[in-house]
Amino acid sequence: MGRHFVVIVCISFLVLSGISGIIAQTPDRYTAGELYEAIQKLRVLGSVLYVAAHPDDENTRLISHLANDLKVHTTYLSITRGDGGQNLVGPEISELLGVIRTQELMQARQIDHGAQRFTRANDFGYSKTSDETLEIWNEKEILSDVVWAIRTIQPDIIINRFSALSTDGNHGHHVASAFLSSKAFDAAADLTVYPDQLNHVRTWKASRLYLNTTWWFYGSREKFDQIDKSRMAEIDVGLYNPVTGWSNTESAAISRSMHKSQGFGSSG
């Protein structure tokens, strides 16, 4: 079985100056292995927030590794519910497609054992720029949702799937998701930002902000091989769990394949 690696880069120094409950489904009955894994998780207090724009943007291999190998509480914050995508399994589009894709994300998290959150942002289809996206979304409103997620989840680290500084040909929603996450990284710790939230939660400052980078951000594997990687960390996410009988690659592939309306999936 081949090993698979994920690379993240610390971007805390690049930080730019939903209100929705956590969805974490639990089975009606646990196997002995599942009970053992759940008990092991009780000994770990770490928490990670993974942020991207749409359903199917998340890195299921990394989420599976964090939740199952490191056993930290791992939440995927999807800024939208994917209303603007295409539907390969039925006639539903727009809001009804958003319902389908919400359910697909919930099923994905049940497999890779992450939790799921959303904001109120509408997926209005492809956007050429993050400025356009933030104007249509109402930046202040959606930023409040991201800040609320950080203050309620209290993650030790935040990982962005996309870069807030990448604008060349990138989907405006992708760039905007990273911009909001990066801005919320500081805002969640500021008493003057969305003070009404502090009637219910405390301010919170995550210790690090990372970008889950990949070679295709740089155009080719050859270009990626040539860049300075001194601020990058390579994580082996292809581990095998003898208790469950699954590798992360396998569970992540099944989780990824829940995005049926978009035709997504991968082999384990």
Side-chain angles (χ1 to χ4, degrees), residues 131-168:
D131 289 340
E132 177 192 53
T133 297
L134 292 169
E135 181 179 355
I136 293 174
W137 280 356
N138 186 336
E139 177 183 340
K140 183 178 179 181
E141 182 175 273
I142 305 308
L143 177 63
S144 74
D145 291 354
V146 182
V147 169
W148 175 260
I150 294 172
R151 286 174 172 174
T152 52
I153 296 170
Q154 298 184 344
D156 295 296
I157 65 171
I158 299 172
I159 302 175
N160 289 344
R161 184 57 176 130
F162 302 104
S163 171
L165 303 179
S166 175
T167 58
D168 294 337

